[in-house]
């Protein structure tokens, strides 16, 4: 199925590319090997190729600064840069700035590149919405942000410290409830994520609550930087870590812990991280924004061709980017192969990270229905007031309509020559189903909330 999908993707991509300036990309870029340090490859298009842009396509600026975190979610940005795709669309001076933490990324987007920060980049959800509403910014300043594309699905999981091996900690926790109860009376089970109220926090909460555990009462959850969490898991002071590749592989490989689950098992084809930028930057540079999007879309298509994944791993592992001891660390996860570290092995291409397209359709397109799920979970856990969901989620939808710019995604996709069949016609992906049988109908977020047994919001 997956190979079939990839063949289709590849065929469509070649057809698309052949119909546009992409023919140059295929000849000029795909054949260039990356250098082993993950440094700049020779793939930067020539001035001639850049000059082929029509006046409508020529960006208002060639410069932009995008933040990223060194996990697989950032791959489309890095590949777009290293394969010369940003430059191909006239963005010859894209700077990718590695962020020390999600908090740093938030601080940097608050000041923008003019203040030495960033114009946008990679985000967990719903960070762009929370920044727009002034809920996680200094002095609660509202800084409008636009969500432009989803970067990836899958590629995340929940790691557990080695000392808990064999105690029933898996996707379902029925066999581990006494362990949580026992720990609660002394030192509660402690789990970390890298930023509160967003994906990694929400994944771990969903997982616990699905098994009847209350994440606010039965465990201790806190924000800890990735490296610190791993160090704490080694010394036994941290029990779990909700995180993205390559961390799960490293944790298992270094015998620090094992994987209780992949997020792909919890919610197949789930929304993960996104490309979002400051609204003022996008408003001022509409053509540059589309150029960035086109480059990211091409990078996503390139990444979904599994034949390219070895090369992708080599580029990402480079010193400048993830700085991994070996690209091997990314290779197995990139093929859907996960050694969970507790004897369980997953070998299923459909569990791998996807960037452009998955079994359910577009990965890159930012569905508003997914924004709504992230907002709904924020209401569920009391991070957002429940009036966001009142009157058929009017307040949530108002915020989503301000932030989610799927209209720009569509324009860029059309410009790029993407087949109409690959451009979603609805902003809703429809009803979503989770591993525990719970369903989220984006038409009825309040009913979803009511149906959940464990929550903080009084509905
Ligand atoms: Ca993630």
């Amino acid at each position: 199925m997956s190979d079939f999908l990839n063949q289709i993707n590849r065929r469509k991509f070649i057809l698309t590319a052949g119909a546009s300036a992409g023919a140059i990309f295929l000849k000029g870029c795909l054949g260039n090997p990356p250098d082993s340090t993950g440094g700049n490859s020779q793939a930067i298009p020539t001035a001639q190729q850049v000059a082929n842009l029509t006046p409508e396509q020529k960006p208002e600026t060639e410069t932009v600064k995008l933040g990223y975190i060194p996990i697989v979610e950032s791959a489309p940005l890095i590949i777009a840069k290293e394969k010369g795709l940003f430059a191909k669309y006239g963005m010859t001076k894209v700077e990718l700035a590695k962020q020390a933490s999600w908090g740093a990324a938030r601080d940097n987007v608050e000041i923008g590149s003019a203040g030495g920060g960033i114009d946008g980049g990679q985000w967990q959800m719903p960070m762009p919405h929370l920044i727009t509403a002034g809920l996680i910014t200094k002095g609660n300043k509202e800084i409008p942000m636009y969500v432009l594309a989803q970067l990836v699905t899958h590629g995340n999981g929940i790691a557990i410290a080695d000392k808990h091996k064999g105690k029933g900690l898996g996707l379902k926790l029925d066999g581990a409830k006494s362990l949580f109860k026992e720990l609660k009376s002394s030192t509660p089970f402690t789990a970390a994520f890298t930023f509160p109220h967003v994906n990694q926090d929400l994944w771990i909460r969903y997982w616990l609550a699905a098994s009847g555990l209350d994440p606010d009462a039965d465990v201790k959850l806190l924000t800890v930087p990735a490296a610190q969490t791993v160090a704490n898991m080694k010394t036994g002071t941290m029990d779990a870590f909700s995180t993205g590749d390559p961390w799960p592989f490293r944790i298992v490989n270094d015998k620090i812990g094992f994987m209780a689950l992949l997020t792909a098992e919890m919610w197949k084809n789930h929304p993960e991280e996104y490309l979002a930028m400051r609204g003022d930057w996008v408003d001022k540079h509409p053509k540059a924004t589309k150029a960035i999007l086109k480059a990211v879309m091409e990078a996503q298509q390139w990444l979904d061709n599994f034949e390219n994944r070895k090369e992708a791993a080599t580029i990402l592992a480079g010193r400048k980017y993830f700085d991994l001891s070996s690209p091997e660390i990314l290779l197995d996860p990139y093929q859907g192969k996960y050694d969970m570290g507790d004897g369980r092995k997953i070998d299923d291409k459909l569990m791998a990270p996807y960037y452009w397209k998955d079994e359910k359709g577009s990965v890159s397109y930012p569905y508003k229905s997914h924004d709504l799920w992230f907002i709904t979970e924020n209401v569920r856990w009391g991070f957002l007031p429940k009036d966001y969901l009142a009157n058929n989620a009017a307040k949530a939808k108002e915020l989503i309509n301000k932030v989610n710019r799927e209209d720009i995604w569509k324009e860029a996709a059309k410009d790029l020559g993407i087949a109409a069949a690959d451009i979603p016609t609805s902003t809703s992906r429809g009803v979503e189903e989770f591993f525990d049988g719970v369903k989220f109908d984006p038409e009825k977020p309040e009913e979803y909330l009511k149906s959940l047994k464990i929550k903080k919001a009084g509905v």
Side-chain angles (χ1 to χ4, degrees):
M1 178 71 177
S2 158
D3 284 331
F4 173 70
L5 263 178
N6 280 312
Q7 276 166 20
I8 303 252
N9 283 348
R10 188 170 153 72
R11 201 165 302 137
K12 268 194 188 147
F13 173 46
I14 289 169
L15 285 175
T16 307
S20 68
I24 296 160
F25 160 65
L26 286 170
K27 281 192 204 110
C29 300
L30 284 175
N32 283 335
D35 74 33
S36 57
T37 60
N40 269 320
S41 58
Q42 311 86 331
I44 303 301
T46 62
Q48 183 55 46
Q49 283 166 300
V50 174
N52 284 340
L53 298 170
T54 64
E56 297 79 55
Q57 290 170 329
K58 203 169 160 29
E60 302 84 354
T61 176
E62 295 176 358
T63 306
V64 71
K65 205 164 158 188
L66 301 174
Y68 74 95
I69 300 278
I71 45 179
V72 292
E73 288 87 332
S74 63
L77 303 178
I78 293 168
I79 294 303
K81 166 90 179 170
E82 290 298 322
K83 285 288 172 186
L85 300 171
F86 285 131
K88 175 179 163 184
Y89 295 106
M91 298 303 292
T92 54
K93 293 174 193 135
V94 174
E95 190 186 331
L96 297 185
K98 195 190 283 189
Q99 304 295 299
S101 65
W102 291 104
R106 182 263 327 265
D107 294 345
N108 281 328
V109 87
E110 267 187 65
I111 54 176
S113 64
I118 55 176
D119 301 303
Q122 166 197 356
W123 302 98
Q124 293 194 68
M125 287 289 250
M127 282 182 88
H129 305 74
L130 300 176
I131 292 169
T132 298
L135 295 168
I136 56 170
T137 52
K138 279 182 204 77
N140 293 114
K141 193 178 172 206
E142 294 180 10
I143 300 168
M145 301 242 345
Y146 293 161
V147 162
L148 299 168
Q150 186 181 187
L151 290 169
V152 71
T153 179
H154 297 167
N156 282 247
I158 294 171
I160 311 286
D162 217 47
K163 64 176 179 183
H164 294 307
K165 216 177 254 180
K167 296 182 188 169
L169 290 154
L171 183 57
K172 288 183 179 162
L173 294 165
D174 305 330
K177 280 196 181 161
S178 57
L179 169 72
F180 283 93
K181 212 174 162 192
E182 202 180 290
L183 290 173
K184 196 179 160 182
S185 58
S186 52
T187 315
F189 185 91
T190 306
F193 39 75
T194 49
F195 197 82
H197 309 171
V198 298
N199 299 45
Q200 293 177 359
D201 185 1
L202 301 177
W203 299 145
I204 206 159
R205 283 171 176 274
Y206 194 97
W207 170 61
L208 291 165
S211 283
L213 291 157
D214 184 339
D216 289 305
D218 297 332
V219 301
K220 194 172 146 194
L221 295 178
L222 67 171
T223 306
V224 181
Q228 189 58 45
T229 306
V230 174
N232 290 350
M233 277 172 74
K234 243 183 206 170
T235 57
T237 53
M238 184 67 68
D239 299 294
F241 181 28
S242 173
T243 185
D245 292 326
W247 287 104
F249 181 99
R250 292 173 85 168
I251 287 164
V252 170
N253 205 47
D254 296 349
K255 305 207 181 328
I256 295 164
F258 64 97
M259 299 303 299
L261 66 133
L262 301 178
T263 49
E265 295 178 282
M266 213 160 71
W267 181 6
K268 196 90 181 284
N269 311 119
H270 64 82
E272 186 52 35
E273 288 174 21
Y274 286 69
L275 169 67
M277 297 185 67
R278 284 180 64 106
D280 56 3
W281 196 96
V282 172
D283 289 340
K284 199 175 160 195
H285 307 106
K287 289 190 269 188
T289 302
K290 273 196 258 176
I292 291 167
L293 263 174
K294 284 192 268 187
V296 166
M297 288 175 181
E298 258 191 50
Q300 290 182 303
Q301 291 170 327
W302 185 86
L303 277 159
D304 269 8
N305 179 350
F306 277 41
E307 286 168 27
N308 293 332
R309 291 204 161 185
K310 197 171 174 189
E311 187 184 340
T314 305
I315 294 171
L316 297 176
R319 210 173 311 135
K320 199 161 77 171
Y321 296 115
F322 294 10
D323 195 18
L324 301 174
S325 56
S326 156
E328 302 287 320
I329 292 168
L330 291 170
L331 281 181
D332 276 354
Y334 257 177
Q335 301 294 329
K337 288 183 193 165
Y338 287 88
D339 178 348
M340 303 296 274
D342 60 350
R344 193 159 75 98
K345 286 194 165 58
I346 289 173
D347 185 357
D348 179 354
K349 276 195 172 168
L350 295 178
M351 304 294 266
Y354 285 86
Y355 294 93
W356 176 247
K357 207 172 168 182
D358 61 16
E359 286 173 287
K360 287 203 107 176
S362 186
V363 169
S364 177
Y365 177 77
Y367 287 100
K368 287 184 180 178
S369 59
H370 290 161
D371 296 26
L372 185 59
W373 182 81
F374 286 109
I375 300 278
T376 303
E377 285 296 290
N378 267 256
V379 174
R380 174 185 187 181
W381 301 118
F383 306 146
L384 286 175
K386 60 183 178 184
D387 68 341
Y388 270 84
L389 295 186
N391 305 318
N392 198 20
K395 196 171 171 184
K397 284 177 185 165
E398 193 191 324
L399 179 60
I400 291 165
N401 287 336
K402 244 199 275 183
V403 175
N404 183 306
R405 296 303 304 270
E406 54 87 34
D407 55 319
I408 303 178
W409 187 96
K410 278 185 174 170
E411 283 174 28
K414 275 179 203 149
D415 260 17
L416 193 59
I418 298 300
D422 286 344
I423 301 178
T425 50
S426 170
T427 58
S428 171
R429 197 172 72 170
V431 176
E432 305 285 346
E433 188 169 357
F434 300 82
F435 79 104
D436 55 345
V438 166
K439 287 182 180 158
F440 172 71
D441 181 349
E443 300 300 315
K444 300 165 188 161
E446 257 189 316
E447 271 185 33
Y448 163 81
L449 204 55
K450 273 182 200 147
S451 79
L452 298 166
K453 284 183 209 84
I454 297 186
K455 61 201 158 200
K456 231 175 173 185
V459 289

